[in-house]
Amino acid sequence: MPTDVIKAKNYLLSLGIHGEIPMGSERMEMRKRQLSGQQEAVAGVTVTAPAQQGQAGQGQRASNACCFCWCCCCSCSCLTVRNEDREERNRRASCDVKAEGTTDCEESPKPTVDEVRLWGQSFDKLMLCPAGRSAFRQFLRTEFSEENMLFWLACEEFSKETNKSAIEEKARLIYEDYISILSPKEVSLDSRVREVINRNMLEPTSHTFDDAQLQIYTLMQRDSYPRFINSPVYKTLLKSVSEQSPES
């Protein structure tokens, strides 16, 4: 009997063991799945959040980037500085031209009928007269070639400069505004003249742009001046001063 009881207990124990193993395996498997699910959830939060932040950051930086800036972290501060620098240069150039008294057509003295008639006879006489330059510049503006007159005026003012530091600064401004291929006000010069300017810019003097100024002067004389004389701008002005002249 004891032997049978022992056998029965062993048998039941063996059954209990064999029965609990699958149950333990299922619990372990469920536990593993739960832990795995929690780890995936945590990992998802951990990975997704930086990814979303990265994408948001990239989107924000991309919106601040521009074609002038390779880095996306400066919020285009470089462009702002360049714009401010460009505005400052334009302001200085404008002041330089105003010294000539020909920035705006309205600032020039009213021409006489004799002066206007002389403009039609000679381009040199036109350019020697402030009112003539003003009227001609107004015409060039309609042809989108006003930069030729602006460059010529800037060179006239530049050639009078004697201070070395001022010469270097003004030479740089003129180069950036009218010679550089990146400037919207670039004037049309041949390769020979450009090479001369590039050499002169190493040690600029008041004669750095002499060849370029002469070439633009000749261009305006041969190309724009004949059209100006035959334009309504000139004819209307001549008629107006003729009617207001005491002689008429």
Side-chain angles (χ1 to χ4, degrees):
M1 190 68 173
T3 302
D4 295 336
V5 173
I6 294 173
K7 288 182 179 180
K9 288 182 178 182
N10 290 335
Y11 177 74
L12 292 174
L13 183 60
S14 63
L15 290 177
I17 293 175
H18 290 294
E20 290 177 356
I21 289 177
M23 292 175 61
S25 299
E26 291 176 356
R27 290 174 182 173
M28 291 178 63
E29 185 67 20
M30 290 176 63
R31 182 60 179 167
K32 289 180 180 179
R33 290 179 182 177
Q34 290 176 352
L35 290 175
S36 177
Q38 292 175 356
Q39 291 174 355
E40 289 177 358
V42 172
V45 172
T46 305
V47 173
T48 303
Q52 292 175 347
Q53 292 176 358
Q55 292 175 356
Q58 290 177 357
Q60 183 179 3
R61 289 196 297 268
S63 63
N64 291 331
C66 64
C67 59
F68 297 98
C69 181
W70 288 357
C71 63
C72 302
C73 58
C74 62
S75 299
C76 289
S77 58
C78 58
L79 181 59
T80 302
V81 171
R82 288 174 184 170
N83 286 337
E84 292 175 352
D85 187 47
R86 171 66 64 179
E87 291 175 359
E88 177 64 18
R89 291 200 302 270
N90 289 340
R91 185 188 66 79
R92 286 191 225 165
S94 177
C95 292
D96 292 340
V97 175
K98 282 184 179 180
E100 182 73 14
T102 57
T103 300
D104 295 318
C105 299
E106 293 77 11
E107 294 182 2
S108 300
K110 187 176 180 179
T112 65
V113 62
D114 291 336
E115 287 177 331
V116 177
R117 287 173 180 169
L118 287 175
W119 300 349
Q121 298 175 10
S122 168
F123 182 68
D124 293 336
K125 294 177 180 178
L126 168 71
M127 293 294 285
L128 286 173
C129 179
R133 293 193 298 267
S134 178
F136 186 52
R137 178 179 169 185
Q138 180 183 0
F139 170 75
L140 293 177
R141 188 178 297 133
T142 65
E143 291 197 336
F144 305 99
S145 57
E146 184 184 13
E147 66 276 2
N148 291 330
M149 177 63 76
L150 293 175
F151 172 68
W152 188 87
L153 291 172
C155 290
E156 281 292 288
E157 188 68 21
F158 175 74
S159 64
K160 302 173 185 177
E161 188 59 63
T162 57
N163 182 273
K164 182 176 176 58
S165 60
I167 287 175
E168 293 178 352
E169 174 65 13
K170 289 185 177 181
R172 182 181 65 83
L173 294 176
I174 291 175
Y175 187 93
E176 291 179 356
D177 285 341
Y178 302 106
I179 309 300
S180 171
I181 60 175
L182 300 178
S183 173
K185 296 187 295 182
E186 177 196 7
V187 295
S188 178
L189 299 171
D190 61 35
S191 58
R192 180 192 65 81
V193 172
R194 286 186 176 275
E195 290 177 0
V196 171
I197 292 176
N198 289 334
R199 289 198 301 269
N200 291 341
M201 285 298 294
L202 297 176
E203 293 183 8
T205 67
S206 58
H207 301 287
T208 294
F209 302 104
D210 285 357
D211 289 346
Q213 184 184 17
L214 178 59
Q215 189 170 92
I216 294 302
Y217 186 92
T218 304
L219 175 65
M220 291 190 294
Q221 181 179 19
R222 295 178 179 177
D223 183 59
S224 302
Y225 173 67
R227 291 196 299 274
F228 168 71
I229 298 303
N230 295 310
S231 69
V233 174
Y234 176 74
K235 293 180 179 179
T236 301
L237 178 59
L238 179 59
K239 181 180 178 180
S240 176
V241 296
S242 298
E243 292 175 348
Q244 297 175 8
S245 175
E247 298 178 357
S248 59

